[in-house]
């Protein structure tokens, strides 16, 4: 197969976002827009991916270097247009023998098939292929001028288009593919004699055709929603919605039950098996997988967690990174689990913080149990053995182990290990005094009637 390369343009300032964060580091489905483009390049099998950033964008350069390696971050000194931006990757792709695809980092939802179609057009003989779509409102997009046979003749930017050209509905998504060598060769001839005074990448189409009969350009079609770009917070939210709607539909098609799909939020990597029910208003932050038969009840928030077959989570549960919920286990309302493995059939049904540790199979964690995992400097583990019973409102001060089958009396503060099958009670012993309450009431009400306040009363 021909080698593939990707050039991701991310040098735009993104001023319309009005955000201190670089535009393409804003997230869709819990992943930055830049990371979406890099993931697409990877899915397309690109051998090398170059990200073009602007000068003085340290946060962006750092993020790009993490994704593609510092040697693949190119800097476009001045924003002279999309052709100039691609040209900034010339050094990195010197000697690249194969096909290159240009992606905009602010266009995060391009499906892999669309990229494949662009490369396929090259394999089928086109010299340049752009992804085009039928625009509902084409006003600001470049128009694709095609010949009778569907071949692409030119791309005309809206600012430079004639009245007749403005009527064309076929718009340029911005994605362009071509042999790397040819693209860099043609880039040398791009001029900036246009309405914006910019070097337009889109001019490559006309230039390729100008080279003579051998070179043809083509359009690969895609859906408008797949190439929707982000320039403002409003558009960010619109693209997020496109992503969420797509994810919800894919989940349902795959056999996940969503009684109120419009209220469930997914991340790009959420994995949910067929036969899972996800109730209303559940949020899946990145890194969650849920196995078949589990039920995620309303208003739960999950991140970096695994939920095994048949488990119950929520309503109002919070699973944080490292929460591994075993088969048929129950995590109930207002229970927070972080970095804890919960064994098969174990239950923590109410009002608990379970952080750093493990809970054995069949154990029961009573309401209000707290794993006291932090001393202000370090964190420690709590281990609760299989079938142990932790009475309500207990504090387990880590590091501490409750042996298998051990029993902790309610309201205990446990600071020492509990032996298997032992009972531990760590609280003051109860004292009972017959008649005390009545005597107390009599004395106080008499004082009140007489208008005598005890010392210290206000
Ligand atoms: C571009 C296309 C237009 C297409 C539209 C789709 C050109 C000339 N026009 O127009 O045909 O319909 O996208 O959205 O290519 N960038 C840089 N450096 C630059 C200029 C731009 O990195 O000097 C980056 C921007 O950050 C952005 C992308 O390239 O991610 C596109 O630039 P933009 O100015 O938005 O191009 P459009 O005018 O929208
Ligand atoms: Mg744009």
């Amino acid at each position: 197969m021909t080698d593939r390369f990707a050039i991701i343009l991310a040098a735009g300032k993104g001023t319309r976002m009005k955000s201190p964060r670089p535009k393409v580091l804003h997230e869709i489905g819990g992943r930055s827009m830049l990371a979406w483009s890099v993931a697409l390049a990877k899915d397309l099998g690109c051998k090398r991916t170059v990200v073009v950033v602007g000068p003085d964008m340290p946060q962006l350069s750092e993020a790009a270097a993490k994704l593609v390696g510092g040697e693949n971050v190119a800097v476009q000194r001045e924003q002279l247009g999309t052709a100039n931006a691609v040209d900034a990757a010339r050094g990195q792709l010197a000697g690249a023998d194969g096909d290159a695809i240009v992606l905009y980092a602010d266009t995060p939802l391009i499906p892999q098939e669309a990229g494949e179609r662009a490369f396929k057009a090259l394999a089928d003989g086109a010299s340049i292929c752009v992804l085009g779509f039928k625009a509902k409102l084409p006003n600001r997009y470049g128009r694709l001028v095609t010949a009778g046979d569907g071949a692409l003749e030119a791309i005309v930017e809206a600012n430079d288009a004639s009245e007749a050209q403005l009527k064309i509905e076929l718009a340029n998504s911005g994605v362009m593919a071509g042999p790397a060598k040819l693209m860099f060769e043609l880039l040398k001839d791009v001029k900036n004699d246009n309405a914006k005074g910019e070097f337009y990448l889109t001019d490559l189409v006309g230039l390729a055709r100008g080279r003579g009969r051998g070179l043809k350009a083509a359009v690969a079609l895609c859906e408008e929603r797949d190439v929707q770009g982000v320039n403002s917070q409003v558009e960010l939210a619109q693209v997020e919605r496109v992503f969420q709607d797509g994810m919800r539909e894919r989940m349902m098609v795959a056999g996940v039950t969503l009684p109120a799909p419009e209220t469930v939020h997914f991340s790009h990597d959420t994995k949910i098996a067929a036969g899972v029910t996800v109730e209303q208003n559940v949020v899946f932050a990145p890194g969650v997988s849920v196995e078949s038969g589990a039920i995620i009840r309303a208003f739960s928030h999950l991140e970096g967690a695994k939920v095994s077959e048949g488990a119950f989570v929520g309503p109002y549960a919070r699973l944080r990174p490292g929460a591994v919920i075993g088969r048929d286990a129950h995590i109930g309302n207002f229970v927070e689990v972080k970095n804890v493995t919960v064994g098969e059939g174990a239950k923590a049904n109410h009002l608990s913080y379970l952080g750093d540790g493990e809970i054995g199979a069949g154990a029961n964690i009573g309401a209000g149990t707290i794993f006291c995992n932090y001393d202000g400097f370090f964190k420690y583990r709590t281990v609760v053995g299989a079938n142990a019973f932790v009475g309500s409102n207990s504090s387990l001060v880590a590091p501490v182990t409750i042996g298998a089958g051990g029993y902790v009396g309610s309201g205990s503060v446990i600071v020492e290990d509990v032996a298997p099958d032992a009972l531990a009670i760590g609280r003051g012993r109860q004292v009972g005094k017959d008649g005390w309450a009545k005597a107390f009431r009599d004395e106080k009400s008499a004082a009140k009637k007489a208008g005598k306040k005890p010392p210290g009363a206000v």
Side-chain angles (χ1 to χ4, degrees):
M1 196 175 99
T2 315
D3 279 341
R4 291 176 175 180
F5 302 89
I7 302 162
I8 298 176
L9 305 191
K13 288 208 180 67
T15 39
R16 276 185 284 160
M17 295 296 283
K18 298 192 179 154
S19 163
R21 196 167 11 151
K23 171 164 83 171
V24 300
L25 296 186
H26 287 74
E27 293 178 351
I28 297 291
R31 162 157 88 172
S32 77
M33 291 194 274
L34 177 63
W36 276 96
S37 300
V38 171
L40 171 61
K42 195 173 166 215
D43 291 344
L44 288 168
C46 292
K47 199 173 164 187
R48 194 160 182 186
T49 297
V50 179
V51 176
V52 179
V53 303
D56 310 319
M57 296 172 108
Q59 203 187 342
L60 178 60
S61 304
E62 205 176 295
K66 273 206 191 116
L67 290 166
V68 297
E71 70 284 7
N72 291 317
V73 179
V75 179
Q76 183 193 18
R77 303 259 153 244
E78 261 185 286
Q79 285 212 259
L80 302 176
T82 45
N84 182 256
V86 172
D87 203 56
R90 184 183 288 276
Q92 276 79 5
L93 295 180
D97 188 9
D99 292 337
I101 190 162
V102 176
L103 306 170
Y104 293 169
D106 64 2
T107 309
L109 299 184
I110 300 165
Q112 190 188 337
E113 310 84 75
E116 295 290 355
R117 279 199 295 281
F119 281 121
K120 176 152 192 310
L122 302 182
D124 292 347
S127 301
I128 299 283
C129 178
V130 302
L131 275 188
F133 63 97
K134 277 252 163 70
K136 273 192 224 101
L137 276 177
N139 30 11
R140 68 200 166 84
Y141 291 112
R143 305 299 204 274
L144 302 183
V145 182
T146 49
D149 62 355
L152 179 61
E153 292 195 319
I155 306 180
V156 185
E157 289 307 296
N159 285 330
D160 304 296
S162 66
E163 281 297 313
Q165 285 168 331
L166 283 175
K167 294 211 173 78
I168 298 173
E169 289 174 337
L170 197 57
N172 176 23
S173 69
V175 176
M176 178 184 283
K181 277 185 184 151
L182 175 71
M183 286 175 91
F184 285 111
E185 188 57 38
L186 294 173
L187 278 174
K188 291 180 185 162
D189 294 340
V190 174
K191 305 273 187 305
N192 64 348
D193 51 353
N194 49 52
K196 275 177 146 180
E198 285 188 1
F199 295 90
Y200 289 165
L201 181 65
T202 44
D203 283 358
L204 294 201
V205 170
L207 287 169
R209 290 176 47 82
R211 289 280 168 116
R213 266 186 245 139
L215 299 184
K216 301 184 292 183
V219 182
L221 283 177
C222 62
E223 298 291 330
E224 179 160 13
R225 63 167 185 271
D226 293 340
V227 289
Q228 206 172 322
V230 171
N231 297 296
S232 64
Q233 301 288 349
V234 171
E235 288 174 0
L236 184 71
Q238 285 166 347
V239 171
E240 179 74 41
R241 171 178 244 148
V242 170
F243 165 74
Q244 293 297 343
D245 284 344
M247 215 44 191
R248 290 161 185 156
E249 192 172 326
R250 285 192 291 280
M251 288 289 176
M252 291 185 283
V253 166
V256 177
T257 302
L258 300 177
E262 68 285 1
T263 68
V264 177
H265 276 248
F266 294 103
S267 281
H268 65 100
D269 61 352
T270 308
K271 288 189 187 66
I272 303 187
V276 170
T277 295
V278 179
E279 292 184 355
Q280 296 84 344
N281 296 294
V282 172
V283 175
F284 293 95
V288 176
S289 66
V290 184
E291 290 179 358
S292 185
I295 296 183
I296 312 297
R297 303 197 58 198
F299 296 99
S300 294
H301 189 286
L302 298 83
E303 176 176 12
K306 180 184 171 201
V307 178
S308 306
E309 244 174 271
F312 276 82
V313 172
Y316 298 98
R318 179 164 185 213
L319 302 187
R320 290 173 53 202
V324 177
I325 312 305
R327 262 174 173 245
D328 302 321
H330 289 201
I331 300 296
N333 43 270
F334 306 107
V335 174
E336 175 180 349
V337 183
K338 184 213 69 169
N339 192 27
V340 169
T341 300
V342 178
E344 185 170 341
K347 289 180 183 162
N349 272 327
H350 333 266
L351 300 159
S352 288
Y353 173 62
L354 311 172
D356 297 310
E358 62 188 84
I359 296 169
N364 192 302
I365 307 293
T369 297
I370 307 291
F371 285 10
C372 307
N373 63 329
Y374 186 45
D375 64 6
F377 297 90
F378 298 101
K379 296 207 170 134
Y380 306 89
R381 281 167 54 81
T382 299
V383 177
V384 176
N387 300 312
F389 183 96
V390 178
S392 297
N393 200 31
S394 292
S395 301
L396 309 183
V397 183
V400 73
T401 295
I402 313 296
Y407 200 104
V408 172
S410 297
S412 290
V413 177
I414 299 295
V415 294
E416 286 167 23
D417 288 354
V418 176
D421 293 322
L423 166 69
I425 305 177
R427 56 170 138 92
R429 183 173 277 278
Q430 187 167 332
V431 176
K433 295 185 179 178
D434 286 345
W436 184 93
K438 183 172 184 306
F440 174 80
R441 279 194 301 272
D442 291 349
E443 183 197 321
K444 296 292 170 191
S445 65
K448 199 162 190 179
K449 258 187 218 150
K452 274 197 242 161
K453 275 191 188 175
V458 290

